Amino acid sequence: MPHTSGPSDEAGPEGPVLYGYTAGVAERFTAQPVPGGDRPGRVIRVDRNLVLVAEGGGTAHLPYPRGGELPATGDWVWLGPNAAGEPAIVGILPRHSELSRKRAFEASSEAQVLGANMDVVGIVVPVDRPLTHNRLERTLVAAWDSGATPLVIITKADIADLADDVVATVVRQAAGVDVVTTSAENGDSLDEVLGHLPPGGTLVLLGPSGAGKSTLINALAGVPAQETGAVRAGDGKGRHTTTSRALVPLPGGAVLMDTPGVRGFGVFDAEGGMEEMFGDLEELFEHCRFSDCAHGREPGCAVQAALADGALEDRRWASYLKLQRELAALARRHDAAARRAYQREWHQKIAVAGKSQRSAERDNHENAHGGGGGKGGHGRKNSGAKGARRPR
C-alpha cells in the first residue's frame, strides 16, 4: 500500500513549509483533527470576499467558512471538501498568539484581530521623526498581551544624526524589551532581527505609515516583496503602501507578516500586557502605606514619593493612568453592550412566551366552545350566523 502523508509526519510537502509549517505545527494538527479536514493550510491574506490560503501544493482563494470563527491572517486551518465537493476551510486551529486592538471607531468595544500565530511582534520605530512615547507604550502593552514576544526595531539609522539619542530613549522606554537598530538600505542588523525568531517562526511588523516597514520587508526577504513610498518632508508622514495584512516567506523558513500603517493602537483587553509593561509600578504599589491607596494625596503613598524624588517620570505615570482609564472605559462599554444584548434576548423570550400563552388560551377557548372543528364539539353550528365560519 502506498504511503499517504498527513499532518502526523515530519514537516514536508503535505504542509505549506514556506509559510512556517514545521514538525511542531504538524503535531498541533494531529492533536486537533476536525471532521472533513484532510490537509493543513495557513491563511496568507483575508480579502473582502475570499481567503488566500497556502497548502502543500500551492495557494488557493477559498470562500469564508460558514458559521463559527472567522479566519485571520496567520491562522492555521484544516482544509477539506465542502458539501458540494469543493475545496474549503473546514476548521481553524486554536491560536497560540493573537494580536488584537480596539476597532478604529471609539464607540465600539469589539476587538479587531490583526494577526494570529506570530512568535515575535516587531514594533518599528523610525529615527527620522519625533518619538511618540504613548504610542510606543500602548503598542508594547498589546504586544505583550498577544502571547508573542515584543521586539523594538529602530529603522532608518543611516539617515539620522540623532540615532544614538533615539536608541537610548527607546531602550529606556521599552522597559526590558530587546531593541535592534537597523538600516535596511545598508543591510545592517538584518540577521540580528531574524535571530530573534525560532525555526519557521513568524514575525509581525507594526508601525505608522512611512516608518520603513516595506523597505525592511524587502531587505529581509531579499526581493522586492512590498512597494515602497516616499515620506512627506513637511510632517514626516508616508502614504500607505501596504493595504492589507499578508504573510511573506523569508529565506531560511521564517515568515513575516506585514500590516498597514497603524495610526492608533487602542488596546482591547490587555491586563496581562499592562503587568508586563508596567510591572515596576505594580511593585511600587505594594510599598504604599494603605492597600487601597488611590495614589493621590494619601499619606505614605509610594507613587507620590517616587514622583517627588524623580524615581518615577511624570510622563510614565500619566501614560499608565491614561491606559488604565481607556481599559476601564472599554470594559464599561463592553459590559453595557452585553447588558443590552441580554435585555434584547430576554424581551424576545418574553414576547415569544406571551404569544405562545395567548395562542394556547385561544385554542382552549375554541375547543371549549366547539370552535376547533374537532370531534365531539358542542358549540355553534356552521349555520351562517354572524361570527360563524362559512364553508368554502
Side-chain angles (χ1 to χ4, degrees):
M1 176 180 293
H3 173 71
T4 302
S5 60
S8 60
D9 299 329
E10 293 295 320
E14 77 282 351
V17 178
L18 289 177
Y19 291 92
Y21 185 78
T22 63
V25 175
E27 292 176 358
R28 293 175 57 195
F29 275 95
T30 301
Q32 299 169 87
V34 300
D38 56 24
R39 62 194 186 281
R42 193 175 195 189
V43 176
I44 299 176
R45 189 178 69 242
V46 178
D47 296 325
R48 185 180 300 273
N49 299 315
L50 295 173
V51 180
L52 180 61
V53 179
E55 51 180 310
T59 62
H61 284 93
L62 302 177
Y64 277 76
R66 292 188 175 182
E69 186 177 19
L70 294 177
T73 300
D75 267 329
W76 290 105
V77 295
W78 274 108
L79 304 177
N82 59 16
E86 301 168 336
I89 298 173
V90 297
I92 301 176
L93 260 62
R95 299 161 180 162
H96 72 77
S97 63
E98 176 185 294
L99 183 66
S100 302
R101 71 167 178 170
K102 189 183 63 164
R103 290 194 179 275
F105 44 94
E106 291 296 325
S108 173
S109 63
E110 297 180 2
Q112 177 187 18
V113 180
L114 299 179
N117 299 312
M118 56 275 164
D119 301 283
V120 175
V121 176
I123 301 165
V124 180
V125 178
V127 298
D128 61 343
R129 69 180 67 181
L131 177 65
T132 306
H133 299 286
N134 187 257
R135 179 201 294 272
L136 176 60
E137 285 182 338
R138 67 175 53 244
T139 308
L140 284 167
V141 167
W144 277 120
D145 202 62
S146 72
T149 302
L151 172 69
V152 178
I153 304 174
I154 298 178
T155 60
K156 306 183 181 183
D158 55 309
I159 63 173
D161 297 330
L162 301 177
D164 291 341
D165 293 337
V166 173
V167 171
T169 303
V170 170
V171 169
R172 183 174 65 253
Q173 196 69 30
V177 176
D178 288 339
V179 178
V180 178
T181 303
T182 68
S183 170
E185 295 291 343
N186 299 332
D188 295 341
S189 302
L190 300 181
D191 290 339
E192 186 178 354
V193 172
L194 295 177
H196 285 79
L197 288 172
T202 299
L203 165 69
V204 60
L205 294 181
L206 294 178
S209 300
K213 297 194 309 299
S214 296
T215 302
L216 179 60
I217 289 173
N218 291 342
L220 291 170
V223 295
Q226 296 290 329
E227 179 188 358
T228 59
V231 177
R232 295 197 298 260
D235 55 12
K237 294 182 179 180
R239 65 183 179 89
H240 292 276
T241 54
T242 303
T243 57
S244 63
R245 286 166 282 279
L247 299 184
V248 178
L250 299 180
V255 182
L256 194 145
M257 183 187 302
D258 190 17
T259 63
V262 179
R263 292 188 179 92
F265 210 104
V267 292
F268 174 63
D269 183 10
E271 291 298 336
M274 289 289 288
E275 292 177 5
E276 291 285 354
M277 190 61 202
F278 294 99
D280 56 328
L281 296 184
E282 299 289 342
E283 294 179 2
L284 195 60
F285 298 158
E286 297 178 0
H287 292 85
C288 292
R289 179 184 301 178
F290 303 106
S291 59
D292 59 348
C293 182
H295 315 301
R297 298 181 178 180
E298 294 87 346
C301 175
V303 172
Q304 294 302 318
L307 288 171
D309 62 20
L312 174 61
E313 292 181 87
D314 290 335
R315 185 213 54 77
R316 180 166 171 79
W317 176 240
S319 178
Y320 172 83
L321 293 177
K322 182 177 180 180
L323 286 171
Q324 286 287 16
R325 288 194 298 269
E326 183 176 331
L327 285 170
L330 189 62
R332 288 194 298 271
R333 285 200 297 271
H334 182 75
D335 291 342
R339 285 196 300 270
R340 287 194 297 270
Y342 173 79
Q343 289 171 353
R344 286 195 300 269
E345 182 180 1
W346 184 77
H347 284 300
Q348 184 178 9
K349 288 181 178 179
I350 292 297
V352 171
K355 183 177 179 181
S356 299
Q357 179 65 24
R358 290 192 299 272
S359 177
E361 291 175 353
R362 184 175 63 250
D363 291 343
N364 290 337
H365 178 77
E366 290 179 351
N367 289 333
H369 294 83
K375 293 182 178 180
H378 300 286
R380 292 190 301 260
K381 296 181 181 180
N382 294 333
S383 59
K386 185 178 180 181
R389 295 187 179 182
R390 298 181 181 273
R392 292 183 179 178

